[in-house]
Amino acid sequence: QVQLVESGGGSVQAGGSLRLSCAASGYTISRGCMGWFRQPPGKAREGVAAIGRYGTTTYADSVKGRFTISRDNAKNTLYLQMNSLKPEDTGMYYCAAPMCQYWSSSYNYCGQGTQVTVAS
């Protein structure tokens, strides 16, 4: 059974940073693709970033240069380092698998989400 558990969300001021984690069980992240999507309040979900099996990364234009997706294969954990946060980054963040490109919406698994709130 695949389980994805996100953590690391919180409230920060604009310009601040957060690091999200997604611990996976039942899914070996080094053998597949994973990514992050978010759902801003009152809006549709949107892909943020993804990392492919061989390490290729893709990012939404809105986060490119500010967010970095990475993984620790030994810990079977996915990360999202978020810098220079903006109020429009506010939302619930989810990790998902498999998710090979940031625009993919056909993932089979996702976690329960972690809330990110950025104050202006």
Side-chain angles (χ1 to χ4, degrees):
Q1 182 178 355
V2 175
Q3 188 173 17
L4 305 176
V5 180
E6 302 95 337
S7 61
S11 297
V12 296
Q13 294 291 318
S17 298
L18 285 173
R19 187 196 195 201
L20 306 184
S21 299
C22 172
S25 59
Y27 185 87
T28 304
I29 66 172
S30 62
R31 297 180 181 177
C33 311
M34 289 192 74
W36 294 91
F37 67 90
R38 65 188 180 188
Q39 185 155 23
K43 297 183 179 180
R45 62 179 56 181
E46 56 186 21
V48 174
I51 184 166
R53 179 178 180 182
Y54 299 106
T56 301
T57 56
T58 58
Y59 297 92
D61 287 344
S62 59
V63 307
K64 201 171 292 184
R66 300 188 297 121
F67 290 12
T68 303
I69 188 171
S70 63
R71 65 189 179 201
D72 185 328
N73 293 338
K75 295 181 179 180
N76 212 38
T77 299
L78 181 74
Y79 301 99
L80 185 69
Q81 178 66 44
M82 305 187 297
N83 299 329
S84 303
L85 283 161
K86 303 176 180 180
E88 51 264 43
D89 294 319
T90 294
M92 189 70 80
Y93 282 70
Y94 302 85
C95 63
M99 183 175 171
C100 298
Q101 296 86 22
Y102 80 87
W103 59 83
S104 174
S105 60
S106 60
Y107 36 83
N108 295 325
Y109 312 103
C110 68
Q112 82 290 346
T114 187
Q115 177 68 37
V116 171
T117 303
V118 184
S120 57

